Amino acid sequence: TQAFVVSVRCIQETGVHGDSLNILMKAIARPKKGPNSPNLVEIPIPKATPNHVIIKVLAAPINPSDEHFAKAHPMHGETPYEPYVCGFEGAGVIVEVGEGVPASMKGKKVTTWPAVESIAEKIGMWSQYARVHYEACVLLGDSDNCEEYCGLFVNPLTLLGFLEVADKMKLKAFVHTAAASSLGKSLIKVAVTRGIEVICVIRNPDQAKILHELGAHYILNLTDPNFIQQLKEVTTKLDARLAFDAIAGEFTQVIIKGMPANSIVYTYGLLAGADTNLDSVKDEMLKENKQNKWFLVMKEPIMTDKETKKKALEFIGEDIKKGGHFFKMTIKKKYKLEQFKEALEEYKKGATEGKSCLLYKSDAADDTPCVDLGG
């Protein structure tokens, strides 16, 4: 993929969200209020504020949360400032460190999720240069490929959040839809090590073999005419009173019908392109004490509880050291930053084979001039 050359022409603006260099960079940003679509813009490269670093972004994935936020879905609300640079996670090289940041971090390759530690001063990862809190960075090895490790937060912390909920409910099994996704595959691998059964819901029967090989024992096809009955039988057998649904729309009520009494179905995605519709199951939910809630990882203990978050980040760090068995990504297709609209369309087709990746430059044989930020 052809790399970008950052424009070095000086401008008059004083910056965006604080201090900046008088140098422009390319970024994908959205306005403060939706439903306006994001656009490719040029904004000043930011300076590193206290406790923050500037990362030259090498790669960033597309997640469902990225698409929803970029299009200003109500579940994400307004941005705290404008324009808001999109991109929840990514990987790259630290080129500037702010006051309070260990000087040794400069020049290090890292993977990061800016929202882990800071909202107000962050510049998202769908840009050539991002500003993030240094404690939101996890170090990569010099030989680690940023493309493979650019998505180590949104999916891993989400699935670790799922397991945290199951643990608190003292359950040894739960349902997961879109089970052949990147998140779904990683979830199975981690759950197996913890003695948790993931009841996998898929659309394509060809996906079953892959999930079996990862360790899944219960795989149901939602297109099967007996799907609801099959789901009832397995959830009752395993006392699986918990489900995580990435599809939403009309499908959420299908899952609810197949769950036992006193169940909770968490919605965490909108792959159907519409919010949950519970019209046909309202009476059943009331009678059998079934609930439907949003699972927003930023509001869950995996992020709000300091100790729980620390353990999760340590788990991710250990996985990197061991070669990324759980969380290393498979990249389906790579795009230039200018191709983000095409990338979003490709993402909608599904990510069973891997994630679409906005690639700014490759790790190998890159001779693109890098703006020297000093510091």
Side-chain angles (χ1 to χ4, degrees), residues 178-189 192 198 200-220 325 330 351-354:
S181 65
S182 295
L183 186 153
K185 293 173 185 175
S186 293
L187 175 60
I188 294 169
K189 288 189 282 187
V192 166
V198 179
C200 300
V201 177
I202 59 175
R203 293 175 182 270
N204 186 340
D206 295 337
Q207 299 166 344
K209 181 180 178 181
I210 298 172
L211 302 189
H212 271 305
E213 292 173 349
L214 293 176
H217 298 114
Y218 299 92
I219 303 172
L220 306 180
H325 169 69
T330 299
T352 301
E353 299 173 3

Side-chain angles (χ1 to χ4, degrees), residues 19 30 77 87 100 104 112 129 161 186 192 227 241 254 266 289 293 303 352 360 367:
D19 292 336
R30 52 159 273 198
S104 60
T112 181
Y129 290 86
S186 293
V192 166
F227 170 75
R241 292 172 284 107
V254 175
Y266 283 96
N289 190 31
K293 301 179 179 180
M303 288 295 294
T352 301
Y360 310 152
D367 58 0

Side-chain angles (χ1 to χ4, degrees), residues 51 53 101 105 112 116-117 132-138 153 313:
N51 297 318
V53 299
V101 180
M105 291 189 73
T112 181
V116 167
E117 291 295 339
V132 306
H133 195 287
Y134 81 98
E135 291 183 343
C137 298
V138 174
F153 291 92
L313 294 177

Side-chain angles (χ1 to χ4, degrees), residues 116-117 135-138 153 157 160 164 194 300-319:
V116 167
E117 291 295 339
E135 291 183 343
C137 298
V138 174
F153 291 92
L157 286 173
L160 291 174
E164 186 75 15
R194 302 187 181 189
E300 297 297 326
I302 198 76
M303 288 295 294
T304 60
D305 182 78
K306 187 175 182 179
E307 190 60 30
T308 302
K309 180 172 69 173
K310 179 182 177 183
K311 289 180 180 179
L313 294 177
E314 288 175 349
F315 184 80
I316 293 170
E318 285 300 312
D319 186 56

Side-chain angles (χ1 to χ4, degrees), residues 130-334:
R131 178 167 62 198
V132 306
H133 195 287
Y134 81 98
E135 291 183 343
C137 298
V138 174
L139 293 177
L140 297 175
D142 292 338
S143 61
D144 288 333
N145 188 315
C146 282
E147 298 169 30
E148 295 177 330
Y149 289 102
C150 69
L152 287 194
F153 291 92
V154 174
N155 279 359
L157 286 173
T158 298
L159 70 87
L160 291 174
F162 293 171
L163 294 168
E164 186 75 15
V165 173
D167 183 61
K168 287 186 176 181
M169 292 180 65
K170 300 185 180 344
L171 298 176
K172 288 296 183 180
F174 60 81
V175 177
H176 182 231
T177 68
S181 65
S182 295
L183 186 153
K185 293 173 185 175
S186 293
L187 175 60
I188 294 169
K189 288 189 282 187
V190 178
V192 166
T193 68
R194 302 187 181 189
I196 304 292
E197 289 283 0
V198 179
I199 302 166
C200 300
V201 177
I202 59 175
R203 293 175 182 270
N204 186 340
D206 295 337
Q207 299 166 344
K209 181 180 178 181
I210 298 172
L211 302 189
H212 271 305
E213 292 173 349
L214 293 176
H217 298 114
Y218 299 92
I219 303 172
L220 306 180
N221 191 329
L222 64 86
T223 63
D224 191 301
N226 297 317
F227 170 75
I228 293 177
Q229 182 59 36
Q230 293 171 353
L231 184 60
K232 284 182 178 179
E233 291 175 359
V234 70
T235 53
T236 300
K237 173 184 175 182
L238 300 178
D239 188 31
R241 292 172 284 107
L242 176 65
F244 296 95
D245 174 33
I247 302 175
E250 300 286 339
F251 179 68
T252 304
Q253 55 194 357
V254 175
I255 289 292
I256 289 174
K257 289 178 181 178
M259 298 296 291
N262 305 309
S263 295
I264 301 176
V265 176
Y266 283 96
T267 300
Y268 76 96
L270 297 169
L271 294 180
D275 288 330
T276 55
N277 183 339
L278 305 177
D279 291 344
S280 70
V281 292
K282 287 181 179 179
D283 291 341
E284 178 180 336
M285 293 175 68
L286 184 62
K287 181 180 179 180
E288 300 186 15
N289 190 31
K290 296 181 180 181
Q291 302 177 59
N292 176 235
K293 301 179 179 180
W294 273 105
F295 184 95
L296 299 176
V297 67
M298 291 299 298
K299 297 181 179 181
E300 297 297 326
I302 198 76
M303 288 295 294
T304 60
D305 182 78
K306 187 175 182 179
E307 190 60 30
T308 302
K309 180 172 69 173
K310 179 182 177 183
K311 289 180 180 179
L313 294 177
E314 288 175 349
F315 184 80
I316 293 170
E318 285 300 312
D319 186 56
I320 294 173
K321 293 178 183 178
K322 295 177 181 178
H325 169 69
F326 295 127
F327 302 129
K328 182 187 288 186
M329 290 174 52
T330 299
I331 302 301
K332 181 179 180 182
K333 196 171 182 179
K334 305 172 188 179

